[in-house]
Amino acid sequence: KRFKLPQDWQASSVWIEFDGIYRNSDVYLNGHLLGHHDSGYTSFFYYFGEAARFGETNVLAVFADATEEEGWWYEGGGIYRHAWLNRANPVHVVPWGVYAPALVTASISPDGTLADAADVLASAEVSNLQESAAEARIRYQVTDMQGQQVGGLSTAHATARIPNRGTAAAEARLALA
């Protein structure tokens, strides 16, 4: 695929995300290997990094080798699901970088409801593609399906100091009553 990246994207973080390539794929941008992915059923992404040419034509090449079996859902080959070109600020939450498991801090009643409370341990992985360290402040909020705030302390803030060209986690604990 040939495409042009706008010149004003140069200060941004740019990556390609694939929902599915069957199977054993290698992805190249302008002749540079971005990465290899074995599975034909899982999503993955690669940052363009230094391989991108802003304001110029870029060539994205995807090679897939479907000679090995991996299951019985799909035995074709190649890109069979969506591919997305994404852009974000140089300091951003990485794709799939939010993790928020619940920690039950109370007993659960026989009908399955909480007798008292639970906490949410929120964590976001933040990437910094700049040449200097950066600081990011993340706001976490727990809402119901109607968008209304839930429980007691269901909003929290976390700050992360991210090294240049690195990542860091911004973590907070939210108490739900």
Side-chain angles (χ1 to χ4, degrees), residues 118-133:
D119 290 350
V120 173
L121 307 174
S123 177
E125 183 180 0
V126 183
S127 176
N128 175 15
L129 299 179
Q130 300 177 121
E131 293 299 327
S132 58

PDB file of all heavy atoms in Angstrom, residues 118-133:
ATOM      1  N   ALA A 118     -16.224  -2.270  46.769  1.00  0.00           N
ATOM      2  CA  ALA A 118     -15.111  -2.797  45.980  1.00  0.00           C
ATOM      3  C   ALA A 118     -14.246  -1.623  45.573  1.00  0.00           C
ATOM      4  O   ALA A 118     -14.686  -0.474  45.594  1.00  0.00           O
ATOM      5  CB  ALA A 118     -15.627  -3.526  44.749  1.00  0.00           C
ATOM      6  N   ASP A 119     -13.011  -1.911  45.215  1.00  0.00           N
ATOM      7  CA  ASP A 119     -12.102  -0.898  44.702  1.00  0.00           C
ATOM      8  C   ASP A 119     -11.754  -1.247  43.258  1.00  0.00           C
ATOM      9  O   ASP A 119     -11.795  -2.409  42.857  1.00  0.00           O
ATOM     10  CB  ASP A 119     -10.807  -0.851  45.502  1.00  0.00           C
ATOM     11  CG  ASP A 119     -10.990  -0.286  46.901  1.00  0.00           C
ATOM     12  OD1 ASP A 119     -12.080   0.251  47.190  1.00  0.00           O
ATOM     13  OD2 ASP A 119     -10.042  -0.379  47.693  1.00  0.00           O
ATOM     14  N   VAL A 120     -11.416  -0.236  42.496  1.00  0.00           N
ATOM     15  CA  VAL A 120     -10.891  -0.437  41.153  1.00  0.00           C
ATOM     16  C   VAL A 120      -9.441   0.039  41.182  1.00  0.00           C
ATOM     17  O   VAL A 120      -9.160   1.159  41.604  1.00  0.00           O
ATOM     18  CB  VAL A 120     -11.697   0.350  40.099  1.00  0.00           C
ATOM     19  CG1 VAL A 120     -11.034   0.263  38.734  1.00  0.00           C
ATOM     20  CG2 VAL A 120     -13.130  -0.161  40.034  1.00  0.00           C
ATOM     21  N   LEU A 121      -8.546  -0.838  40.775  1.00  0.00           N
ATOM     22  CA  LEU A 121      -7.119  -0.513  40.727  1.00  0.00           C
ATOM     23  C   LEU A 121      -6.772  -0.130  39.294  1.00  0.00           C
ATOM     24  O   LEU A 121      -6.492  -0.984  38.469  1.00  0.00           O
ATOM     25  CB  LEU A 121      -6.287  -1.705  41.190  1.00  0.00           C
ATOM     26  CG  LEU A 121      -6.664  -2.284  42.552  1.00  0.00           C
ATOM     27  CD1 LEU A 121      -5.870  -3.546  42.839  1.00  0.00           C
ATOM     28  CD2 LEU A 121      -6.448  -1.245  43.632  1.00  0.00           C
ATOM     29  N   ALA A 122      -6.859   1.146  38.975  1.00  0.00           N
ATOM     30  CA  ALA A 122      -6.682   1.625  37.608  1.00  0.00           C
ATOM     31  C   ALA A 122      -5.213   1.885  37.303  1.00  0.00           C
ATOM     32  O   ALA A 122      -4.486   2.432  38.121  1.00  0.00           O
ATOM     33  CB  ALA A 122      -7.498   2.894  37.400  1.00  0.00           C
ATOM     34  N   SER A 123      -4.809   1.491  36.109  1.00  0.00           N
ATOM     35  CA  SER A 123      -3.442   1.720  35.660  1.00  0.00           C
ATOM     36  C   SER A 123      -3.470   2.032  34.170  1.00  0.00           C
ATOM     37  O   SER A 123      -4.160   1.368  33.399  1.00  0.00           O
ATOM     38  CB  SER A 123      -2.591   0.484  35.918  1.00  0.00           C
ATOM     39  OG  SER A 123      -1.286   0.669  35.416  1.00  0.00           O
ATOM     40  N   ALA A 124      -2.728   3.051  33.773  1.00  0.00           N
ATOM     41  CA  ALA A 124      -2.595   3.391  32.358  1.00  0.00           C
ATOM     42  C   ALA A 124      -1.114   3.470  32.022  1.00  0.00           C
ATOM     43  O   ALA A 124      -0.339   4.126  32.715  1.00  0.00           O
ATOM     44  CB  ALA A 124      -3.266   4.729  32.055  1.00  0.00           C
ATOM     45  N   GLU A 125      -0.726   2.784  30.964  1.00  0.00           N
ATOM     46  CA  GLU A 125       0.649   2.861  30.490  1.00  0.00           C
ATOM     47  C   GLU A 125       0.742   4.052  29.546  1.00  0.00           C
ATOM     48  O   GLU A 125       0.000   4.148  28.560  1.00  0.00           O
ATOM     49  CB  GLU A 125       1.058   1.582  29.765  1.00  0.00           C
ATOM     50  CG  GLU A 125       2.497   1.588  29.320  1.00  0.00           C
ATOM     51  CD  GLU A 125       2.900   0.318  28.592  1.00  0.00           C
ATOM     52  OE1 GLU A 125       2.064  -0.579  28.425  1.00  0.00           O
ATOM     53  OE2 GLU A 125       4.065   0.255  28.174  1.00  0.00           O
ATOM     54  N   VAL A 126       1.638   4.983  29.860  1.00  0.00           N
ATOM     55  CA  VAL A 126       1.789   6.209  29.088  1.00  0.00           C
ATOM     56  C   VAL A 126       3.135   6.174  28.372  1.00  0.00           C
ATOM     57  O   VAL A 126       4.162   5.848  28.969  1.00  0.00           O
ATOM     58  CB  VAL A 126       1.692   7.448  30.007  1.00  0.00           C
ATOM     59  CG1 VAL A 126       1.782   8.727  29.187  1.00  0.00           C
ATOM     60  CG2 VAL A 126       0.399   7.415  30.816  1.00  0.00           C
ATOM     61  N   SER A 127       3.106   6.510  27.092  1.00  0.00           N
ATOM     62  CA  SER A 127       4.310   6.517  26.266  1.00  0.00           C
ATOM     63  C   SER A 127       4.766   7.948  26.011  1.00  0.00           C
ATOM     64  O   SER A 127       3.946   8.844  25.838  1.00  0.00           O
ATOM     65  CB  SER A 127       4.014   5.826  24.929  1.00  0.00           C
ATOM     66  OG  SER A 127       5.130   5.900  24.074  1.00  0.00           O
ATOM     67  N   ASN A 128       6.067   8.126  25.974  1.00  0.00           N
ATOM     68  CA  ASN A 128       6.654   9.425  25.671  1.00  0.00           C
ATOM     69  C   ASN A 128       7.652   9.233  24.536  1.00  0.00           C
ATOM     70  O   ASN A 128       8.713   8.644  24.730  1.00  0.00           O
ATOM     71  CB  ASN A 128       7.361  10.000  26.901  1.00  0.00           C
ATOM     72  CG  ASN A 128       8.088  11.288  26.608  1.00  0.00           C
ATOM     73  OD1 ASN A 128       7.869  11.925  25.595  1.00  0.00           O
ATOM     74  ND2 ASN A 128       8.984  11.666  27.509  1.00  0.00           N
ATOM     75  N   LEU A 129       7.325   9.724  23.361  1.00  0.00           N
ATOM     76  CA  LEU A 129       8.218   9.583  22.212  1.00  0.00           C
ATOM     77  C   LEU A 129       9.107  10.800  22.002  1.00  0.00           C
ATOM     78  O   LEU A 129       9.813  10.895  21.011  1.00  0.00           O
ATOM     79  CB  LEU A 129       7.386   9.303  20.957  1.00  0.00           C
ATOM     80  CG  LEU A 129       6.568   8.013  21.021  1.00  0.00           C
ATOM     81  CD1 LEU A 129       5.759   7.829  19.755  1.00  0.00           C
ATOM     82  CD2 LEU A 129       7.446   6.808  21.282  1.00  0.00           C
ATOM     83  N   GLN A 130       9.103  11.710  22.949  1.00  0.00           N
ATOM     84  CA  GLN A 130       9.912  12.925  22.856  1.00  0.00           C
ATOM     85  C   GLN A 130      11.355  12.648  23.272  1.00  0.00           C
ATOM     86  O   GLN A 130      11.656  11.639  23.890  1.00  0.00           O
ATOM     87  CB  GLN A 130       9.317  14.023  23.754  1.00  0.00           C
ATOM     88  CG  GLN A 130       7.894  14.387  23.376  1.00  0.00           C
ATOM     89  CD  GLN A 130       7.317  15.416  24.321  1.00  0.00           C
ATOM     90  OE1 GLN A 130       6.932  16.469  23.885  1.00  0.00           O
ATOM     91  NE2 GLN A 130       7.268  15.116  25.608  1.00  0.00           N
ATOM     92  N   GLU A 131      12.225  13.596  22.974  1.00  0.00           N
ATOM     93  CA  GLU A 131      13.640  13.487  23.328  1.00  0.00           C
ATOM     94  C   GLU A 131      13.906  13.846  24.786  1.00  0.00           C
ATOM     95  O   GLU A 131      14.994  13.608  25.291  1.00  0.00           O
ATOM     96  CB  GLU A 131      14.486  14.378  22.416  1.00  0.00           C
ATOM     97  CG  GLU A 131      14.495  13.926  20.959  1.00  0.00           C
ATOM     98  CD  GLU A 131      15.071  12.532  20.773  1.00  0.00           C
ATOM     99  OE1 GLU A 131      15.991  12.140  21.519  1.00  0.00           O
ATOM    100  OE2 GLU A 131      14.597  11.830  19.868  1.00  0.00           O
ATOM    101  N   SER A 132      12.926  14.435  25.467  1.00  0.00           N
ATOM    102  CA  SER A 132      13.097  14.793  26.879  1.00  0.00           C
ATOM    103  C   SER A 132      12.001  14.125  27.709  1.00  0.00           C
ATOM    104  O   SER A 132      10.956  13.739  27.190  1.00  0.00           O
ATOM    105  CB  SER A 132      13.031  16.309  27.051  1.00  0.00           C
ATOM    106  OG  SER A 132      11.800  16.808  26.575  1.00  0.00           O
ATOM    107  N   ALA A 133      12.259  13.994  29.011  1.00  0.00           N
ATOM    108  CA  ALA A 133      11.272  13.397  29.914  1.00  0.00           C
ATOM    109  C   ALA A 133      10.003  14.239  29.932  1.00  0.00           C
ATOM    110  O   ALA A 133      10.016  15.430  29.607  1.00  0.00           O
ATOM    111  CB  ALA A 133      11.860  13.293  31.318  1.00  0.00           C
TER     112      ALA A 133
END
